[in-house]
């Protein structure tokens, strides 16, 4: 028990040290594969600004045809959203919030949260999105997945999969599925 | 309780109710080999052991594992953390029925490989219904399937556990953090607990569990995931060897969807308490009066 009169500094000293909850961070500089073999470094992997200059008036680079083809191969199956719902029109290396605020790719969760507040709240109370480590942060840290670890931003439906484990259920085998 | 009192008690109950004969008939598999030596700590229930005897038991079990399986394991005594009470919740809107939790439990808790044993069953259910009788656990098609939802079921760590009341020898009991444990050295294998459990959460070791040496999880605790002998009953213990160390249960860590929530029911800021406060949670077969510490919810 702390004494009745404690300064804030005292209380902070008595508060148990807490380990952090670390949310995995998406790449702040996502690359795109050109689909074209190039002899300069890094081959095949390009930052958004390599082509999309900060000024929208920049002339389209000569290899744009290939890239147009590549970008068109992106599957966008996300409600009726268009590229501009999420990507900043002026600087393609940024995302855009509904109020026009530019945010980095590493902060994309703020953008998801804007349109999916309920899932975001579930995430905050630990009921949506995986975790590993400690339930007790006085004893160790906890790692958490980011939305884009499980949902492709462009086609976010969670994939179906085959169940992992062969089930041989003694009880149900004996009793039959209808108990 | 000494071994003698236990036997006498069984006999007395049997005299009145004919239970001893039933128990004996039901328990033909209890290996009467090395486990029943003259050493004192093996003829006592865990609850009657002194700290020194617990240490002797640990040394004995570690040696047995080395001798029988050729594997070095570290066994701890992991008593409850004072002031903590564990609870679990599961988001049925997120679970996809992939059974990663079933597999993780199987490995973590050193379950028998041939029977693919696990403390967790996942029921495939029809959306809009909570009719357990028309569920199936043996589904084998891509998940989640249209029109279905998935309900993992394991021990509910009841506040009012029928398995504990059913045990004639006190080999299964509830500890201070709410986890009901089983003393594998004291269990007589009568399976009354299994019959009493409305969740079919208890498992019986029909054979001596077979596990390749390389797959034995060496991170072990008494009353948890030590290698069990044939003929004893067991069930989920919320991975007490992990959670009493502050770690998350293996099934939760393995869940690729994050449907599982675990934590301290006595800490109002814990995720489990927030889920209970902010979601419409329910317990399975609440009418049975078992008062589970395991809750389910859908997102609305």
């Amino acid at each position: 028990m702390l004494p009745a009169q404690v300064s804030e500094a005292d209380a902070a000293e008595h508060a148990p040290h807490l380990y952090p909850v670390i949310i995995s961070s998406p790449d702040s500089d996502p690359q795109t594969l050109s689909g074209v073999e190039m002899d300069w470094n890094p081959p095949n992997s390009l930052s958004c600004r390599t082509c999309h200059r900060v000024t929208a008036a920049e002339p389209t680079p000569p290899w744009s045809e290939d890239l147009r083809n590549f970008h068109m191969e992106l599957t966008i199956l996300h409600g009726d959203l268009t590229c501009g719902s999420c990507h900043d029109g002026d600087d393609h290396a940024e995302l855009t919030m509904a109020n026009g605020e530019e945010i980095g790719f590493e902060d994309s969760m703020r953008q998801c949260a804007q349109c999916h507040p309920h899932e975001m709240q579930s995430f905050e109370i630990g009921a949506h999105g995986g975790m590993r480590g400690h339930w007790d942060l006085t004893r160790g840290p906890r790692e958490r997945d980011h939305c884009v670890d499980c949902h492709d931003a462009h086609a976010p439906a969670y994939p179906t999969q085959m169940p992992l484990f062969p089930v041989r259920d003694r009880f149900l085998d004996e009793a039959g599925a209808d108990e | 309780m000494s071994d003698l009192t236990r036997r006498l008690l069984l006999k007395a109950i049997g005299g009145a109710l004919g239970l001893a004969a039933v128990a004996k008939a039901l328990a033909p598999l209890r290996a009467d080999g090395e486990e029943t030596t003259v050493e004192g700590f093996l003829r006592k229930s865990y609850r009657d052991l002194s700290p020194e005897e617990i240490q002797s038991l640990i040394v004995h079990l570690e040696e047995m594992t080395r001798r029988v399986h050729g594997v070095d394991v570290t066994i701890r005594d992991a008593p409850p953390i004072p002031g903590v009470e564990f609870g679990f919740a599961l988001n049925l809107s997120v679970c996809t029925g992939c059974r990663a939790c079933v597999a993780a439990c199987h490995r973590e808790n050193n379950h028998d490989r041939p029977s693919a044993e696990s403390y967790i069953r996942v029921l495939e259910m029809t959306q809009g219904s909570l009719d357990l009788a028309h569920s199936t656990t043996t589904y084998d098609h891509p998940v989640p399937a249209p029109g279905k939802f998935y309900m993992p079921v394991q021990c509910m760590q009841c506040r009012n556990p029928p398995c504990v009341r059913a045990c004639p020898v006190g080999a299964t009991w509830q500890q201070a953090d709410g986890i009901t444990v089983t003393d594998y050295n004291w269990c007589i294998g009568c399976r009354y607990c299994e019959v009493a459990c409305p969740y079919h959460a208890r498992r019986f070791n029909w054979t001596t569990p077979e596990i390749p040496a390389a797959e034995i999880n060496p991170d072990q605790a008494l009353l948890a995931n030590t290698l069990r002998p044939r003929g004893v009953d067991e069930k989920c213990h919320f991975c007490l060897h992990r959670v009493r160390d502050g770690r998350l249960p293996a099934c939760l860590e393995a869940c690729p969807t994050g449907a599982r929530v675990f934590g301290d029911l006595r800490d109002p800021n814990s995720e489990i308490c927030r889920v209970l406060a902010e979601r419409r949670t329910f317990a399975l077969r609440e009418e049975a009066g078992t008062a589970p510490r395991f809750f389910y919810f859908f997102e609305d």
Side-chain angles (χ1 to χ4, degrees), chain A residues 118 121-122 133 161 168-169, chain B residues 114 121 143 253 278-279 299:
Chain A
H118 186 83
Q121 203 265 345
S122 293
Q161 66 174 111
R168 280 203 255 136
D169 198 301
Chain B
R121 273 192 195 96
V143 290
E253 280 200 347
E278 297 170 33
R279 292 290 180 275
E299 299 283 4

Side-chain angles (χ1 to χ4, degrees), chain A residues 158-161, chain B residues 94-98 124 127 141-150:
Chain A
Y158 193 84
T160 56
Q161 66 174 111
Chain B
V94 168
C95 175
T96 60
C98 74
E124 181 176 75
Q127 268 170 19
H141 50 72
V143 290
K148 300 292 183 189
F149 75 95
Y150 298 85

Side-chain angles (χ1 to χ4, degrees), chain A residues 118 121-122 125-129 133-136 142 160-165 167-172 178, chain B residues 86 91 98-99 106 114 121 133 137 141-143 200 206 243 246-248 253 257-258 261 271 274 278-279 299:
Chain A
H118 186 83
Q121 203 265 345
S122 293
I125 61 174
H128 188 141
H134 293 76
W135 65 267
D136 181 358
R142 192 182 307 156
T160 56
Q161 66 174 111
M162 283 302 288
L164 280 179
F165 198 66
V167 167
R168 280 203 255 136
D169 198 301
R170 187 181 280 271
F171 176 79
L172 292 170
D178 294 358
Chain B
F86 290 119
N91 186 343
C98 74
R99 295 202 288 252
H106 176 75
R121 273 192 195 96
T137 60
H141 50 72
V143 290
H200 304 300
W206 291 91
V243 302
R247 289 180 284 156
L248 289 161
E253 280 200 347
T257 72
V261 188
E271 293 178 329
R274 290 197 62 191
E278 297 170 33
R279 292 290 180 275
E299 299 283 4

